[in-house]
Each structure stands twice: as C-alpha cells, then as structure tokens.
Amino acid sequence: MWLSDTVVNHLREVSSEPDLSGTRYELVRRIGQGGMGAVYLARDTELDRDVAIKVSVAAGAGDLSERLRREAKFIARLEHPGIVPVHDSGTLPDGRVFYVMKLVRGERLDAWAKGRELRERLRLFRRICEAVAFAHAHEVLHRDLKPENVMVGEFGEALVMDWGLARLLSATPEAALNVPATFGATLAGAVVGTPAYMAPEQARGDHAALSARTDVYGLGAILYALLEGRPPGPSPTPLDRTLPPAVISVCEKAMAPAPVDRYPSATELGEDVGRFLEQEPVRAHPETLLERVGRFASRNSIVLSLVGVYLLVRLLLLLLPG
C-alpha cells in the first residue's frame, strides 16, 4: 500500500515519541529537535504545570546519552535568571535518557530583535552577557552561543539555552559532577559548534586554546547579528558605519581574531555595552573630540537646554528697548 510523505513522517514521529509511562509526566507534543535529541511539551501531573522534556535521540545511544546527562548536570549547577533551570532527570522505560526543564514561553532572539530599537537590543544583549559571565564563574564554557540558542521570554527576560556542547573551563570540578575526567573530551582537531558564530581557535579545532574569550567571541557574533540582522559568518564583513562608532568598536573588540585582543571576560563586554547605554566613555573606543562633545551634549541635554533658554531670555532683555 502506498503511503504519502505526510503519513510516513507522521508515523515516524509517533514511533519516536518517548514512553513516559511510569513517570509523573504526560506527553503533549514535540516542540523541537536537535542533534542529541528532541524536546517535548509535557504536563507535570504532580505539580499541575507545563514543562519541557529533552529526550535522547534513541535508547542506548552511547555517547549521545552521556552527553545529555552531562548537559543536565551542567545546567543544574547554573542557577541564574538567564539560564533555564533543570527540575528532574533520569531514564525512561524505553531506555532513553531525559531531563525536565522550565518551559520557556517566548521567541528566539533573532525573531524578537526584528524592528527593535537599538538601545532595546543592547539592553537585552547585556543580560545575555550576565548569564554567560555567571556560567564562566562556575567554570562552564558554552561553546555554541548564537541567536538561535537564546530565548526572550514573555516579560523580556533573556534565557541562554542549549548547553549540549558545554565543557568545563578547567578539569578540577569534574569529580563534583560525577563525570569521568576523560569522558566527552573532544578528539584533537574535531570541530564542534556553529561555523557562523565560532571563534577562530574553535574553528581550527584547537581545544587547548579554548577559554572564556572563546565565548566572548560568540557573544560578539550575537551582537553582530543584532546590529546587522544577519549572521557574521566565518569572515565577517564590516559593520554598517551608520551605527554609533562606540558600538562598532565594542563588537569588533569582542570578535577580534586573536583571543588576547578580545575582552577578557563576558562581564567586561557587558560593562562596556552598559557604558554606551549610560552615555559614558566606552573603553574599546578612543573618542574623537567631536564625539566627546556630542556625548556630553547628549548626556546633559536638559541642563544645556535650560542654559540655552536662560541665555536667550537674557539676550532678548538686552535687545528690547527699556
């Protein structure tokens, strides 16, 4: 009997649905698909709330299942408003590994950013930097920062998602995660990540050179996409020169080819964006005299307006006949 592609695809989806019997969760529908597994909308019957469940691609998938377990452990140690919390994890009756997380209602960063005013985009970007800085403070490197991995919630919160490629900045805390020190170590020369947003050392497969500055590059690439409305790509074209020069300098410093030329941390990158928003000098940008005067005038516009009105009134009083 001939079956249409639609029917075949439906049957494939149904056959791959996780078996949640024996758990507190009821399957609703699939909401996403990734390399390590799929994400489903489910109902937590004990707490009467919707949750998201990420399930490994197949039972006994070896390294992929272990990676999913490790991802859950990484996220569980990162309790921050900008990182989705993990509620539960385990193995389903069908043998697949899963973990349960908060269901994020909102839209992806790239969709959210369309039509937004520059300062609004920069304020949200600063919150993304704060979440990544928190992860670095807890020894976790994301390695796959891009707009598709950032969700903007219903109330404007920025949430960094998909920690499947995360690794520890140092090997010291491995025992605390109950993860073998040798597990999941990427083979020398193997490249993981998204090419359009990848730092040069990551694109080369130089894993010994990875550091917090690698994620700083990824943040800079996100900033580039927020400014230009498109991915930077492996060889980014120059930014639109009609943008504020200070913002261009921040983005270019974050995306410097050599790690030593980038911001040392996500915190410092976020702070420089904050300085621009507060109309203060940006460390990455050497101001010209004209720019300094313009920034002063913008920051003190109310005072200057009052002084201008006062001088105008004085002038009129002098010119008018007594």
Side-chain angles (χ1 to χ4, degrees):
M1 180 177 66
W2 179 83
L3 298 175
S4 69
D5 290 343
T6 302
V7 172
V8 170
N9 289 334
H10 175 70
L11 290 173
R12 185 181 294 116
E13 286 183 12
V14 171
S15 65
S16 66
E17 287 182 350
D19 176 11
L20 299 183
S21 61
T23 72
R24 58 195 275 186
Y25 308 106
E26 291 180 351
L27 185 68
V28 179
R29 59 183 171 84
R30 187 168 65 177
I31 55 177
Q33 180 73 46
M36 288 197 299
V39 180
Y40 297 86
L41 169 63
R43 189 72 182 169
D44 182 338
T45 58
E46 285 191 17
L47 296 177
D48 193 27
R49 65 178 178 181
D50 290 333
V51 294
I53 298 183
K54 189 167 185 177
V55 184
S56 59
V57 66
D63 189 56
L64 287 179
S65 294
E66 288 303 315
R67 282 181 180 272
L68 196 68
R69 286 194 183 96
R70 187 176 64 161
E71 180 182 6
K73 289 183 177 181
F74 278 141
I75 302 173
R77 72 187 291 171
L78 302 177
E79 297 182 6
H80 185 274
I83 299 172
V84 179
V86 169
H87 300 316
D88 191 11
S89 67
T91 303
L92 297 175
D94 63 11
R96 283 189 275 182
V97 174
F98 77 97
Y99 70 83
V100 182
M101 56 188 162
K102 172 186 174 181
L103 177 66
V104 179
R105 303 183 189 277
E107 55 187 335
R108 281 185 357 185
L109 178 62
D110 47 354
W112 173 89
K114 292 177 181 177
R116 302 276 176 172
E117 187 261 337
L118 175 62
R119 296 181 70 82
E120 187 178 4
R121 282 175 276 157
L122 292 177
R123 282 193 292 269
L124 190 85
F125 175 74
R126 192 179 181 189
R127 294 200 289 274
I128 298 169
C129 291
E130 290 170 356
V132 174
F134 180 86
H136 291 172
H138 287 73
E139 294 291 320
V140 177
L141 189 69
H142 190 284
R143 292 204 297 173
D144 198 19
L145 293 169
K146 55 186 177 181
E148 295 90 331
N149 284 344
V150 178
M151 289 286 290
V152 182
E154 294 177 306
F155 302 100
E157 65 272 30
L159 295 153
V160 181
M161 313 281 288
D162 200 341
W163 296 79
L165 295 183
R167 57 166 271 181
L168 293 173
L169 282 165
S170 67
T172 306
E174 288 283 10
L177 285 174
N178 295 318
V179 179
T182 57
F183 168 73
T186 312
L187 293 175
V191 176
V192 294
T194 304
Y197 296 90
M198 219 185 281
E201 65 272 19
Q202 189 174 353
R204 293 193 303 269
D206 185 2
H207 302 293
L210 300 187
S211 68
R213 294 176 192 246
T214 304
D215 273 355
V216 167
Y217 185 98
L219 288 168
I222 288 177
L223 178 57
Y224 182 103
L226 287 174
L227 296 174
E228 291 287 323
R230 56 184 170 83
S235 301
T237 56
L239 286 158
D240 181 358
R241 293 296 152 176
T242 62
L243 289 165
V247 174
I248 293 175
S249 295
V250 168
C251 189
E252 290 178 342
K253 181 174 179 64
M255 294 184 68
V260 70
D261 294 329
R262 298 174 206 150
Y263 289 96
S265 68
T267 297
E268 294 191 39
L269 168 56
E271 287 175 348
D272 232 5
V273 172
R275 290 186 188 95
F276 173 80
L277 291 171
E278 297 298 324
Q279 298 179 333
E280 297 176 353
V282 171
R283 290 179 180 173
H285 181 68
E287 288 183 318
T288 64
L289 178 60
L290 185 60
E291 287 173 341
R292 192 176 301 118
V293 170
R295 181 174 54 77
F296 176 83
S298 178
R299 190 175 185 184
N300 298 277
S301 57
I302 295 177
V303 174
L304 291 175
S305 296
L306 292 173
V307 171
V309 170
Y310 170 78
L311 293 176
L312 180 60
V313 171
R314 294 285 297 176
L315 181 63
L316 290 174
L317 290 174
L318 289 173
L319 295 177
L320 290 174

PDB file of all heavy atoms in Angstrom, residues 39 68 78 146 186 210 232 294 317:
ATOM      1  N   VAL A  39      12.907  17.817  21.996  1.00  0.00           N
ATOM      2  CA  VAL A  39      12.311  18.491  23.148  1.00  0.00           C
ATOM      3  C   VAL A  39      10.791  18.419  23.005  1.00  0.00           C
ATOM      4  O   VAL A  39      10.244  18.702  21.932  1.00  0.00           O
ATOM      5  CB  VAL A  39      12.765  19.956  23.246  1.00  0.00           C
ATOM      6  CG1 VAL A  39      12.118  20.645  24.453  1.00  0.00           C
ATOM      7  CG2 VAL A  39      14.289  20.042  23.353  1.00  0.00           C
ATOM      8  N   LEU A  68      23.839  14.014  27.051  1.00  0.00           N
ATOM      9  CA  LEU A  68      22.604  14.599  27.552  1.00  0.00           C
ATOM     10  C   LEU A  68      22.614  14.627  29.089  1.00  0.00           C
ATOM     11  O   LEU A  68      22.194  15.612  29.703  1.00  0.00           O
ATOM     12  CB  LEU A  68      21.394  13.808  27.046  1.00  0.00           C
ATOM     13  CG  LEU A  68      20.054  14.525  27.183  1.00  0.00           C
ATOM     14  CD1 LEU A  68      19.991  15.720  26.240  1.00  0.00           C
ATOM     15  CD2 LEU A  68      18.895  13.580  26.892  1.00  0.00           C
ATOM     16  N   LEU A  78      23.998  25.781  37.298  1.00  0.00           N
ATOM     17  CA  LEU A  78      23.948  27.184  36.889  1.00  0.00           C
ATOM     18  C   LEU A  78      22.586  27.790  37.248  1.00  0.00           C
ATOM     19  O   LEU A  78      21.701  27.923  36.404  1.00  0.00           O
ATOM     20  CB  LEU A  78      24.210  27.310  35.382  1.00  0.00           C
ATOM     21  CG  LEU A  78      25.544  26.752  34.889  1.00  0.00           C
ATOM     22  CD1 LEU A  78      25.641  26.865  33.372  1.00  0.00           C
ATOM     23  CD2 LEU A  78      26.718  27.449  35.566  1.00  0.00           C
ATOM     24  N   LYS A 146      24.725  31.615  20.005  1.00  0.00           N
ATOM     25  CA  LYS A 146      24.155  32.142  18.762  1.00  0.00           C
ATOM     26  C   LYS A 146      22.718  32.566  19.052  1.00  0.00           C
ATOM     27  O   LYS A 146      22.129  32.139  20.061  1.00  0.00           O
ATOM     28  CB  LYS A 146      24.189  31.084  17.653  1.00  0.00           C
ATOM     29  CG  LYS A 146      23.505  29.770  18.006  1.00  0.00           C
ATOM     30  CD  LYS A 146      23.700  28.735  16.912  1.00  0.00           C
ATOM     31  CE  LYS A 146      23.076  27.386  17.301  1.00  0.00           C
ATOM     32  NZ  LYS A 146      23.282  26.362  16.261  1.00  0.00           N
ATOM     33  N   THR A 186      36.593  16.121  23.476  1.00  0.00           N
ATOM     34  CA  THR A 186      36.539  16.155  22.028  1.00  0.00           C
ATOM     35  C   THR A 186      37.882  15.758  21.444  1.00  0.00           C
ATOM     36  O   THR A 186      38.929  16.182  21.908  1.00  0.00           O
ATOM     37  CB  THR A 186      36.167  17.577  21.561  1.00  0.00           C
ATOM     38  OG1 THR A 186      35.037  18.014  22.311  1.00  0.00           O
ATOM     39  CG2 THR A 186      35.837  17.602  20.098  1.00  0.00           C
ATOM     40  N   LEU A 210      40.905  26.992  23.958  1.00  0.00           N
ATOM     41  CA  LEU A 210      39.585  27.480  24.332  1.00  0.00           C
ATOM     42  C   LEU A 210      39.607  28.086  25.731  1.00  0.00           C
ATOM     43  O   LEU A 210      40.255  27.559  26.636  1.00  0.00           O
ATOM     44  CB  LEU A 210      38.554  26.347  24.275  1.00  0.00           C
ATOM     45  CG  LEU A 210      38.355  25.663  22.919  1.00  0.00           C
ATOM     46  CD1 LEU A 210      37.181  24.696  22.996  1.00  0.00           C
ATOM     47  CD2 LEU A 210      38.131  26.672  21.807  1.00  0.00           C
ATOM     48  N   PRO A 232      27.324  36.757  11.270  1.00  0.00           N
ATOM     49  CA  PRO A 232      28.597  37.323  10.818  1.00  0.00           C
ATOM     50  C   PRO A 232      29.313  36.441   9.810  1.00  0.00           C
ATOM     51  O   PRO A 232      30.024  36.932   8.935  1.00  0.00           O
ATOM     52  CB  PRO A 232      29.406  37.459  12.116  1.00  0.00           C
ATOM     53  CG  PRO A 232      28.814  36.457  13.043  1.00  0.00           C
ATOM     54  CD  PRO A 232      27.346  36.389  12.702  1.00  0.00           C
ATOM     55  N   GLY A 294      29.793  65.621  21.610  1.00  0.00           N
ATOM     56  CA  GLY A 294      28.448  65.142  21.305  1.00  0.00           C
ATOM     57  C   GLY A 294      27.877  64.304  22.426  1.00  0.00           C
ATOM     58  O   GLY A 294      26.692  64.407  22.768  1.00  0.00           O
ATOM     59  N   LEU A 317      16.186  90.444  26.661  1.00  0.00           N
ATOM     60  CA  LEU A 317      16.073  91.576  27.591  1.00  0.00           C
ATOM     61  C   LEU A 317      17.036  92.697  27.241  1.00  0.00           C
ATOM     62  O   LEU A 317      16.730  93.886  27.401  1.00  0.00           O
ATOM     63  CB  LEU A 317      16.305  91.107  29.034  1.00  0.00           C
ATOM     64  CG  LEU A 317      15.201  90.220  29.632  1.00  0.00           C
ATOM     65  CD1 LEU A 317      15.635  89.703  31.000  1.00  0.00           C
ATOM     66  CD2 LEU A 317      13.902  90.999  29.744  1.00  0.00           C
TER      67      LEU A 317
END
